[in-house]
Amino acid sequence: MSTHDRVINFGAGPSALPVSVLEETAKSLLNFSGTGIGIGEISHRSKEFTAVVNDLESLIRTQLDVPSTHTILFSQGGASAQFSAVVMNMLARYKLLHPEKTAEEVTMDYVVTGSWSKKAAEEARRLGGGQVNVAVDSRQFSKDGKSFDNIPSHESYKLSEDPALIYYCENETVDGVEFSHDLTASTSFPFHLLKQGSLVPLVADYSSSFMCRPIPRLADHAIIYAGAQKNIGPAGLTIIIVRQDCIVDVDAAAKLGTAPVPLMLSYKTLADAKSLYNTPSVISLYMTKLVLQRMKEKGGLPYFEEMNRKKAARIYGLLKEGGEKGVFERKVSDGSESWMNATFLVVGEGAEKRFLDGAEKQGMMALKGHRCACLMPLFSNYRIQ
């Protein structure tokens, strides 16, 4: 098999990457930027690698139009580490703002629409320091009363008066649901319910939809984070966009009674060291920079948003046609479908195995999803040529 005899990789994460990025990385493994040192060996303090970090930050800021009020940080640990980091940093912020409040008086709002937001809420409960209010749980509005198959309408939300954070996951990879891109739709995120005229503590997990399109009302978010491996790079890198009022002195908050925050989970540690407090995920940072550079050259987010729109329309059109013929069964309600990953069942005894075996013969791999469903990721940069 030659370098380019590659299958169509539908893996949801680690996702497929562009061949041009893999080829450039292969060269740089031996000699990065004319240094004579491989990218996996270069000092993260060197001027050559510092330039990579700066370039990546600039590519994200310009393409997403990140305002100067927000800092872009790079971390390790993936989205799962941010389940903890978000809680600890935002509780520290809240304590500094409200030193008189006890843990029993502090509330954290979670919008639970799938497996990942459910895990995030569970971590918040485990860590303590505040009460978890499930502002809405989409399972209550599902066809069977227990599945994550929809995004609830706006009138379903019950947000707290003054929460330390409001958390949602923009796209749920496992369940195939995503908040509508049309902010007038009832299945969009209800930004109009947020308290106006204040620094809203809104937190969003964008791991599986990062850089697929512009982020609605990005400036109104306190924190947006994304594990790179879903869309724009290999595993090991997490991108965190943090509003500067959320980069707080966690040690000062600990003196007032909050739990001490581990050094590497503190956003202030990362910000003060420009994301280089310790050795970062060097190769992941470099490859993600190459992917975003390629995105810019192809036209940036407008190009990719339109491409994703067309792919989603085509896939869901085929699933609808297959549903009418009794071949496929869609898992998600109308209006809640993900652009990133379409989940569906293949109907009939042994039909799923025949479908997957047939797909493999056509060079389509990793279509098997969770809980006896097929998962068809739609965005990965490798699949957009």
Side-chain angles (χ1 to χ4, degrees):
M1 180 178 284
S2 70
T3 304
H4 295 94
D5 289 338
R6 290 167 57 80
V7 299
I8 304 172
N9 177 11
F10 284 96
S15 66
L17 292 166
V19 169
S20 60
V21 168
L22 297 173
E23 290 176 334
E24 186 63 28
T25 302
K27 295 176 185 175
S28 294
L29 285 172
L30 292 172
N31 186 348
F32 166 61
S33 194
T35 61
I37 302 172
I39 185 63
E41 309 162 278
I42 197 79
S43 169
H44 65 290
R45 309 289 184 193
S46 67
K47 68 180 188 298
E48 291 85 2
F49 186 73
T50 300
V52 169
V53 176
N54 292 339
D55 288 348
L56 176 55
E57 192 272 348
S58 178
L59 285 164
I60 295 170
R61 187 173 293 279
T62 55
Q63 293 192 63
L64 277 179
D65 196 21
V66 179
S68 59
T69 52
H70 288 61
T71 297
I72 299 174
L73 304 174
F74 304 112
S75 181
Q76 299 158 311
S80 296
Q82 292 307 305
F83 294 165
S84 309
V86 160
V87 170
M88 301 186 88
N89 282 273
M90 294 303 280
L91 286 178
R93 172 184 181 268
Y94 193 81
K95 189 65 174 180
L96 292 170
L97 292 172
H98 306 281
E100 77 286 357
K101 296 273 190 179
T102 64
E104 291 73 23
E105 297 174 294
V106 179
T107 304
M108 297 174 281
D109 284 356
Y110 277 78
V111 176
V112 178
T113 54
S115 299
W116 291 114
S117 50
K118 177 175 175 286
K119 287 178 183 292
E122 289 169 350
E123 176 66 353
R125 288 192 190 93
R126 193 185 72 82
L127 290 173
Q131 310 303 309
V132 171
N133 169 51
V134 176
V136 68
D137 187 327
S138 67
R139 289 172 293 188
Q140 297 176 1
F141 307 95
S142 65
K143 298 168 189 173
D144 60 8
K146 59 183 180 181
S147 299
F148 291 116
D149 64 6
N150 71 97
I151 297 293
S153 58
H154 294 166
E155 64 270 14
S156 308
Y157 290 71
K158 293 179 173 58
L159 297 173
S160 302
E161 178 63 27
D162 183 30
L165 63 95
I166 304 166
Y167 186 104
Y168 73 102
C169 180
E170 200 270 346
N171 180 78
E172 294 278 4
T173 322
V174 173
D175 305 283
V177 298
E178 183 177 22
F179 285 87
S180 174
H181 305 179
D182 177 3
L183 294 187
T184 65
S186 64
T187 53
S188 65
F189 186 82
F191 290 101
H192 66 283
L193 296 180
L194 303 177
K195 186 179 291 185
Q196 303 301 308
S198 63
L199 293 173
V200 178
L202 183 61
V203 178
D205 177 356
Y206 260 80
S207 290
S208 55
S209 55
F210 193 67
M211 299 300 295
C212 79
R213 63 183 177 94
I215 294 177
R217 295 182 60 167
L218 186 153
D220 291 334
H221 288 75
I223 302 167
I224 292 168
Y225 69 83
Q229 74 277 5
K230 296 290 186 182
N231 287 337
I232 58 169
L237 169 65
T238 305
I239 296 129
I240 315 166
I241 302 173
V242 189
R243 199 174 60 215
Q244 286 156 13
D245 65 281
C246 299
I247 300 173
V248 300
D249 188 338
V250 295
D251 291 336
K255 291 177 181 177
L256 295 175
T258 63
V261 180
L263 199 61
M264 291 309 299
L265 293 183
S266 165
Y267 294 147
K268 190 173 189 302
T269 299
L270 292 173
D272 288 349
K274 299 187 183 303
S275 299
L276 297 175
Y277 181 83
N278 68 332
T279 307
S281 302
V282 172
I283 294 177
S284 295
L285 279 159
Y286 173 65
M287 294 182 72
T288 301
K289 179 249 181 181
L290 293 181
V291 170
L292 266 66
Q293 181 63 48
R294 174 180 175 272
M295 289 185 68
K296 179 181 177 181
E297 292 167 356
K298 283 188 167 288
L301 288 186
Y303 168 84
F304 281 85
E305 181 177 24
E306 183 57 27
M307 183 69 75
N308 291 325
R309 188 192 312 278
K310 291 177 178 177
K311 287 195 299 179
R314 185 174 182 183
I315 291 296
Y316 284 112
L318 289 171
L319 290 177
K320 180 180 180 180
E321 181 181 337
E324 292 169 350
K325 294 178 179 179
V327 176
F328 297 134
E329 179 185 332
R330 285 172 51 188
K331 299 277 285 182
V332 176
S333 302
D334 289 341
S336 300
E337 306 97 328
S338 170
W339 275 20
M340 299 294 95
N341 34 279
T343 54
F344 59 96
L345 297 173
V346 187
V347 179
E349 183 69 29
E352 181 183 297
K353 184 178 187 305
R354 292 194 298 273
F355 174 82
L356 294 172
D357 289 345
E360 285 196 22
K361 290 177 182 177
Q362 297 296 320
M364 294 185 286
M365 310 296 287
L367 282 165
K368 175 69 175 174
H370 298 262
R371 302 193 189 100
C372 299
C374 292
L375 176 70
M376 185 172 286
L378 303 180
F379 174 56
S380 174
N381 274 275
Y382 175 67
R383 292 187 286 275
I384 303 176
Q385 301 296 337

